[in-house]
Amino acid sequence: MNETAQGLRTTSVGSLPKPDYLLHARAQRARNEISQEELDELSRRATQEWIRFQEEIGVDIVVDGEMYRGDMVAYFAENLEGMGISGLVRSYGNRYYKKPIATGDIRRPAPITVDWWKFAQSLTEKPVKGMLTGPYTIADWSFDNHYGSRRDLVMALAEVVRQEAQDLEQAGAEYLQIDEPAVSTRLDELDLVIESMAVVTSGLRAHTITHMCYGRFEEVYPRLLDIPVDQIDLEMANSGLELLEKFGAHPFTKAIGFGVVDVHTHKIESVDEVKKNIRRALDYLRPDQVFIDPDCGLKTRTVDEAKAKLRTIQQARDEVRSELVRA
Ligand SMILES: [Zn+2]
């Protein structure tokens, strides 16, 4: 295959919606009405359904959809020593949530996601992406009752995330994504993100990715490229124009995850809209540099909406790819 035919690989950012039976079971588990084993069985069933769907439509790099996780930060905090979960904290008016809290020296007593990754990978010949929440985001979304400095907390978390990344690689993961959505609101701390990511990715041979979204990344470009990963995944469907224009002056030197559908609308984009978004990427980037995906995790959509958006992405990619090969 030539460079064009190999390019524009498709994937997902990470989370996918949980089917109703799993949402129901998670609520039952919270009330202690079913066992963890019963819940895990249903999480495996949902994982299998999502992997099969991605295979059917031809996604290149599949995800497990995070069927077994709740909140992306709390999930890791609950599995680390030295971290706990606070009582209810108020956010956005009348919404309450539980916030992780650092209470002691942070350690990872055992691998957290590795068995789930192995299960997902056993279901498919396609590469399954390993998915981790980054140290900066875990720290930024937690209280600190122990370290006393943001940097110390972030760097302690970087060490445990590095251990998890290495175990995933050891298990066979070819793609490792370390999500750092908190960066977008704190671009003044990009140096700390770079420093901590260097710890996480040091010594890894896997293709490393970080996902960030909804920030004014053009303001920190090209410094953004100093994050030590192979690929940066960004939402580009409804924004990113100013950032793209910067690529003209200073070429984007990494692979890019290029979001081409909005994850916040029920509306399903047309194939033509998505093709237009893919072509925007190709004005500035080579096809082999570009990975096509939704703007962000699809877990807030319904199962049917998420499937329709992923199908649209796949069809748009296939059409653009064959147009490129013919050209
Ligand atoms: Zn996101």
Side-chain angles (χ1 to χ4, degrees):
M1 280 204 288
N2 66 23
E3 185 183 89
T4 302
Q6 281 177 338
L8 302 177
R9 278 165 284 184
T10 51
T11 188
S12 282
V13 171
S15 70
L16 295 170
K18 295 181 177 68
D20 286 341
Y21 65 80
L22 184 56
L23 292 172
H24 180 65
R26 291 177 67 85
Q28 284 182 308
R29 176 67 194 137
R31 298 190 299 265
N32 236 338
E33 292 165 12
I34 60 168
S35 67
Q36 186 63 42
E37 289 67 37
E38 288 171 293
L39 177 60
D40 286 348
E41 187 51 42
L42 293 173
S43 300
R44 282 192 288 272
R45 178 177 146 196
T47 303
Q48 195 156 13
E49 288 168 1
W50 272 120
I51 298 250
R52 197 173 302 144
F53 172 78
Q54 293 170 84
E55 279 201 319
E56 269 166 26
I57 68 169
V59 172
D60 296 306
I61 300 152
V62 306
V63 295
D64 68 12
E66 303 175 9
M67 294 296 109
Y68 58 96
R69 297 187 200 178
D71 177 82
M72 65 181 288
V73 167
Y75 176 74
F76 286 93
E78 283 163 359
N79 284 286
L80 292 169
E81 263 176 38
M83 292 206 84
I85 304 290
S86 76
L88 289 174
V89 177
R90 188 170 180 165
S91 80
Y92 315 118
N94 278 329
R95 279 191 57 194
Y96 289 83
Y97 68 105
K98 291 180 176 180
K99 189 166 169 170
I101 179 165
T103 54
D105 286 352
I106 292 172
R107 284 186 56 252
R108 187 192 67 141
I112 300 169
T113 62
V114 176
D115 283 347
W116 282 107
W117 180 86
K118 281 185 185 164
F119 170 71
Q121 186 63 81
S122 75
L123 303 170
T124 177
E125 300 289 312
K126 302 272 179 103
V128 176
K129 201 155 54 165
M131 301 290 317
L132 301 173
T133 303
Y136 181 81
T137 295
I138 299 177
D140 193 52
W141 292 356
S142 300
F143 292 122
D144 175 21
N145 273 3
H146 178 71
Y147 285 93
S149 100
R150 282 174 73 79
R151 183 179 175 279
D152 289 352
L153 176 58
V154 172
M155 296 310 283
L157 285 160
E159 177 54 28
V160 291
V161 177
R162 181 188 70 77
Q163 292 166 10
E164 185 72 11
Q166 288 193 332
D167 283 345
L168 283 168
E169 181 179 275
Q170 196 78 36
E174 296 168 34
Y175 293 87
L176 287 174
Q177 183 171 307
I178 301 107
D179 287 331
E180 288 288 19
V183 175
S184 61
T185 50
R186 296 295 300 264
L187 287 170
D188 56 311
E189 288 196 312
L190 187 60
D191 286 349
L192 183 53
V193 175
I194 292 169
E195 187 185 5
S196 55
M197 192 64 83
V199 170
V200 175
T201 58
S202 71
L204 293 176
R205 295 173 309 276
H207 180 95
T208 54
I209 306 156
T210 190
H211 166 74
M212 302 180 295
C213 48
Y214 308 107
R216 295 192 55 77
F217 298 112
E218 62 278 4
E219 289 171 4
V220 291
Y221 192 81
R223 176 76 172 137
L224 190 67
L225 295 170
D226 291 339
I227 301 176
V229 287
D230 300 310
Q231 177 180 337
I232 300 179
D233 183 88
L234 297 162
E235 107 284 356
M236 302 294 266
N238 288 324
S239 62
L241 192 60
E242 286 170 73
L243 182 59
L244 266 181
E245 281 166 359
K246 298 239 165 174
F247 295 176
H250 190 294
F252 197 85
T253 50
K254 297 178 184 291
I256 190 167
F258 201 89
V260 292
V261 298
D262 193 346
V263 299
H264 293 129
T265 62
H266 298 290
K267 175 186 151 270
I268 309 304
E269 289 83 351
S270 70
V271 171
D272 280 343
E273 277 175 87
V274 177
K275 283 171 75 174
K276 210 166 80 192
N277 283 336
I278 296 173
R279 289 206 194 88
R280 281 168 71 211
L282 296 178
D283 287 341
Y284 297 92
L285 300 148
R286 300 184 315 273
D288 65 294
Q289 255 182 307
V290 180
F291 292 68
I292 302 294
D293 61 8
D295 269 358
C296 191
L298 281 167
K299 73 172 174 188
T300 54
R301 300 275 54 85
T302 66
V303 169
D304 286 346
E305 287 167 355
K307 285 183 171 176
K309 282 177 188 267
L310 291 174
R311 274 202 190 92
T312 305
I313 289 176
Q314 199 65 28
Q315 192 185 333
R317 190 289 301 267
D318 290 348
E319 290 183 18
V320 172
R321 202 188 242 183
S322 55
E323 286 162 18
L324 285 173
V325 172
R326 277 202 306 273

